[in-house]
Amino acid sequence: MINRTLIRTKVVQTLFAYYKHDDDTLLNAKKELLHSFDDVYCLYMLFLDFVNEMVSEAEDKLQQDEERSKVTHTLFTANTNFINNRFASQIFNNRGLRAFIDERHLGWDAAHESLKALFKDIAASQYYSDYMSLAAPTYEEDKMLWRKIFTSILPDNANLEDALQELEIALDHRNWVTDTNIVLSFVIKTVKRFSEDSTPEQALLPMFDSENDLNFAKDLLQAAIKNKDEYTALIESHLKNWDINRIAYIDLIIMQVAVAELLIFPNIPIQVTLNEYLEIAKEYSTPKSHIFINGVLDELIRDLKNRNELIKAVAIN
């Protein structure tokens, strides 16, 4: 699940925190990196459990509407499309999800009011209105509603941000607001995997698709820390009319990690590495940082190539 794009971001974030503590150790940095991956995976599971929370909110509202109709002596017709959504039922009964949530003591209780606001956001959407107007939704329509909720309603949702900030404090996790959109993309992939005959044993995404990705993360962090002086000197030698002390701290860290990847992972194409760290710069640094970083790394790569110090594997067809 956790892909190399996210790994690179987490390594940069971990390195940034590591350098802020002069007495920190490589071992602690590795622990923090692994902890950050665990935080991401917990958020993934929590978002899947969000389906159950919204069904509960719908059940509460339906009950309130029914009670209100009795008091006001008005006709009440229950629309149970959302409550009886078959995909939501599959998520509720998924044994892997239930075991993880219970074992980690995760839940949305601390964000009760924000959940109510989130349900209102969903209920006010055209997707929900169209779905509730169906006479008898098919399974695919059940699942499509949730795909639309995760793709169109939850990303950059202010009420979701409020809920996650409350949960970060209550559950002692970090960066859930920052990681929201990328984790939602993992949830959408999971939704696509379900079918009408999926059982409670339906597999969810693992934290890592392979051991290679975890090793990539550890090796990248270790190389960036152990070779800091060498990489900093290499970067400094390619600064044109710039004092290294004037460079934004995050920009220097992004370049250090990029250089580490360029030098110790011969199977990763240069352009892949360059593009990935420029995207990180766009996301986490100043508006023009990616232009500056691109210029420095371009010069650095050209120089390393000329000195035959940048060896990359070549695919032979």
Side-chain angles (χ1 to χ4, degrees):
M1 182 193 89
I2 296 177
N3 57 30
R4 295 205 172 185
T5 295
L6 184 55
I7 286 172
R8 291 176 176 100
T9 299
K10 292 301 178 185
V11 169
V12 168
Q13 290 173 343
T14 300
L15 202 59
F16 185 87
Y18 171 81
Y19 288 145
K20 289 294 185 181
H21 301 88
D22 295 334
D23 59 344
D24 213 344
T25 65
L26 175 58
L27 179 60
N28 284 339
K30 286 183 177 179
K31 288 180 179 178
E32 284 300 309
L33 180 61
L34 296 179
H35 186 65
S36 72
F37 294 145
D38 188 70
D39 282 341
V40 169
Y41 199 63
C42 285
L43 181 58
Y44 164 71
M45 290 295 197
L46 201 58
F47 274 145
L48 289 175
D49 192 52
F50 175 80
V51 174
N52 304 321
E53 295 295 330
M54 289 298 97
V55 171
S56 293
E57 289 292 333
E59 289 174 336
D60 290 345
K61 185 176 186 306
L62 193 66
Q63 185 176 3
Q64 290 168 9
D65 290 345
E66 185 175 12
E67 292 298 323
R68 189 177 299 110
S69 71
K70 291 177 181 178
V71 173
T72 59
H73 303 289
T74 55
L75 180 64
F76 174 76
T77 303
N79 186 331
T80 59
N81 283 2
F82 191 78
I83 292 171
N84 292 333
N85 184 287
R86 281 159 289 187
F87 171 75
S89 179
Q90 288 174 325
I91 291 294
F92 178 79
N93 291 306
N94 187 272
R95 293 200 174 108
L97 175 60
R98 296 271 62 80
F100 190 93
I101 292 292
D102 291 344
E103 179 184 342
R104 297 300 189 92
H105 305 292
L106 296 174
W108 292 83
D109 291 348
H112 183 66
E113 292 304 316
S114 295
L115 280 185
K116 289 186 177 298
L118 278 165
F119 179 71
K120 288 181 180 179
D121 289 341
I122 292 172
S125 71
Q126 189 63 47
Y127 308 119
Y128 182 88
S129 177
D130 291 344
Y131 174 76
M132 296 299 281
S133 69
L134 296 171
T138 65
Y139 173 79
E140 287 304 317
E141 288 168 331
D142 285 347
K143 192 168 75 166
M144 181 56 70
L145 173 67
W146 280 104
R147 283 183 61 181
K148 288 176 178 176
I149 289 171
F150 284 120
T151 56
S152 302
I153 297 176
L154 296 188
D156 304 314
N157 184 293
N159 288 316
L160 181 59
E161 288 185 11
D162 290 343
L164 293 179
Q165 286 172 350
E166 292 167 330
L167 293 182
E168 283 182 2
I169 296 170
L171 302 175
D172 191 26
H173 288 266
R174 293 169 296 175
N175 295 319
W176 277 354
V177 173
T178 305
D179 295 334
T180 293
N181 287 353
I182 191 167
V183 176
L184 285 173
S185 73
F186 300 145
V187 174
I188 294 161
K189 289 180 181 179
T190 304
V191 175
K192 291 177 182 178
R193 289 187 169 201
F194 276 73
S195 63
E196 191 164 6
D197 58 359
S198 291
T199 69
E201 283 72 36
Q202 170 69 38
L204 305 177
L205 298 180
M207 186 181 296
F208 290 97
D209 291 336
S210 75
E211 191 73 16
N212 290 337
D213 287 335
L214 179 57
N215 291 334
F216 168 75
K218 293 177 181 177
D219 292 345
L220 183 60
L221 178 67
Q222 179 166 305
I225 290 176
K226 284 194 169 183
N227 302 311
K228 174 192 174 184
D229 293 341
E230 175 190 342
Y231 296 161
T232 301
L234 188 58
I235 293 165
E236 187 171 15
S237 68
H238 292 86
L239 296 176
K240 292 183 176 180
N241 304 317
W242 274 87
D243 183 339
I244 197 165
N245 294 319
R246 293 176 55 206
I247 299 175
Y249 193 51
I250 186 64
D251 290 357
L252 182 57
I253 289 174
I254 290 170
M255 287 190 285
Q256 285 175 356
V257 181
V259 170
E261 183 172 319
L262 286 166
L263 293 177
I264 70 169
F265 292 100
N267 292 324
I268 300 178
I270 291 171
Q271 198 58 47
V272 169
T273 298
L274 191 57
N275 290 343
E276 290 282 354
Y277 290 98
L278 292 180
E279 289 302 315
I280 292 174
K282 290 177 185 177
E283 181 71 21
Y284 293 98
S285 194
T286 62
K288 294 185 178 180
S289 282
H290 69 283
I291 300 173
F292 169 71
I293 290 173
N294 185 50
V296 174
L297 292 180
D298 266 344
E299 288 292 326
L300 187 151
I301 290 167
R302 187 178 298 110
D303 187 31
L304 289 175
K305 283 182 176 178
N306 291 337
R307 288 153 41 189
N308 292 321
E309 294 179 13
L310 186 57
I311 309 300
K312 290 289 180 179
V314 177
I316 299 176
N317 296 323

